[in-house]
Amino acid sequence: MNQAAATVRIQKLIARAGLASRREAERWIEQGRVTLNGKRVSLGDQANPHHDQVEIDGRPLSKEQNKCYLMLNKPLGYVTTAHDPQGRATVFDLVAQVPERLFSIGRLDLNTGGLLLLTNDGALANSLLHPRYGIPKTYRVKISGELGPVARQSLEQGVSLEDGITAPAQVSRIRESSRNTWFDLTITEGRNRQVRRMCEAVGCSVSMLKRVRFGTLELKALPVGRFRHLSAAEVESLRRL
Ligand code: URA
């Protein structure tokens, strides 16, 4: 997102900081108590929440941290933690040039690749991970052999795992060769190693696992190991979820 260009009405900024309602903030502006970069403001003036200094009665409103939203195509062999005691490569090494302090929205296992979202927006991350919202996540799965009708039906209806029966999932067959089958599995939960455990429980041996979709977002042609910033519309579509 282009944060340099994003300005907001000053009463909204004051309200966003939790200091007053918008109405009350408008009164403060009318009373001449609010300044923008040292100059008294009028109703309707706008400010950039990241760069401008707004003060009320001479006391600064703290600047908002730049919000950053990235989609990374996680390579296999990278851990999704900030520090690995074993010194393995982490997904944060791949976004080292981004100045914001980021965390991942959920995790992918060491040997799972694909779509991983990174952000510094804790509120959005918490909502997207909250079980109540059941955000759909789609994984491309490669198994040895076939996905038989019984296994498929179990995946779709719910599989009994040691931490309980899984919620209904969607299976969509992608292709088959003489040795392997590829299918997409969409789940709405986020349990540890869930896809691998579901597949094992129905007798399938997973030889490749990659996340291709998270909520409204698709990995598409983002190269392995590369990241991109989400557009404002993409962030908004996640919020609406
Ligand atoms: N399910 C898994 O088994 N592994 C992942 O990394 C994500 C989902």
Side-chain angles (χ1 to χ4, degrees), residues 107-109 112 139 187 191-197 209 211:
R107 287 185 180 188
L108 291 175
D109 298 336
T112 303
Y139 294 84
I187 59 172
R191 305 190 205 176
N192 195 22
R193 296 186 67 252
Q194 182 164 347
V195 174
R196 285 179 204 273
R197 289 194 294 137
L209 187 59
R211 183 154 65 191

Side-chain angles (χ1 to χ4, degrees), residues 2-229:
N2 181 1
Q3 280 152 343
T7 59
V8 180
R9 291 210 168 195
I10 290 172
Q11 60 268 39
K12 191 171 171 186
L13 270 189
I14 297 173
R16 233 153 67 172
L19 295 183
S21 67
R22 253 191 237 193
R23 199 54 68 71
E24 179 70 9
E26 283 170 5
R27 268 197 293 276
W28 292 355
I29 292 172
E30 284 168 343
Q31 290 163 358
R33 295 169 58 189
V34 182
T35 58
L36 168 62
N37 302 328
K39 287 209 187 113
R40 194 172 286 182
V41 301
S42 315
L43 264 187
D45 284 353
Q46 304 209 341
N48 182 306
H50 308 286
H51 304 304
D52 287 329
Q53 186 64 73
V54 173
E55 292 183 352
I56 301 148
D57 297 331
R59 256 179 279 148
L61 198 68
S62 47
K63 287 185 195 161
E64 291 181 5
Q65 201 192 10
N66 284 342
K67 288 281 191 287
C68 180
Y69 306 88
L70 306 180
M71 179 193 291
L72 171 74
N73 187 349
K74 176 192 174 297
L76 303 181
Y78 279 69
V79 292
T80 317
T81 45
H83 302 288
D84 183 52
Q86 295 173 45
R88 290 171 296 189
T90 95
V91 294
F92 297 97
D93 297 337
L94 299 167
V95 296
Q97 68 267 49
V98 177
E100 285 83 14
R101 274 174 66 89
L102 301 174
F103 46 86
S104 64
I105 303 187
R107 287 185 180 188
L108 291 175
D109 298 336
L110 182 70
N111 290 322
T112 303
L115 196 166
L116 185 67
L117 296 177
L118 303 169
T119 186
N120 56 357
D121 184 341
L124 182 65
N126 285 336
S127 335
L128 290 174
L129 293 174
H130 200 289
R132 188 185 343 152
Y133 299 116
I135 305 293
K137 290 153 287 246
T138 302
Y139 294 84
R140 176 77 35 98
V141 189
K142 179 183 171 193
I143 56 167
S144 313
E146 292 180 356
L147 178 66
V150 175
R152 177 177 181 151
Q153 199 181 36
S154 304
L155 291 176
E156 286 174 335
Q157 291 180 347
V159 179
S160 180
L161 300 178
E162 59 189 13
D163 49 0
I165 298 180
T166 58
Q170 274 177 14
V171 175
S172 160
R173 199 176 281 261
I174 302 293
R175 73 185 171 99
E176 282 166 2
S177 71
S178 53
R179 292 184 175 190
N180 302 107
T181 303
W182 287 258
F183 62 93
D184 279 357
L185 181 66
T186 302
I187 59 172
T188 54
E189 300 168 294
R191 305 190 205 176
N192 195 22
R193 296 186 67 252
Q194 182 164 347
V195 174
R196 285 179 204 273
R197 289 194 294 137
M198 286 172 75
C199 292
E200 279 158 22
V202 301
C204 296
S205 164
V206 174
S207 55
M208 189 279 300
L209 187 59
K210 173 180 166 184
R211 183 154 65 191
V212 291
R213 195 177 176 100
F214 186 107
T216 47
L217 305 180
E218 270 185 87
L219 184 63
K220 293 194 177 148
L222 185 64
V224 176
R226 301 292 287 274
F227 70 88
R228 69 173 179 83
H229 288 264

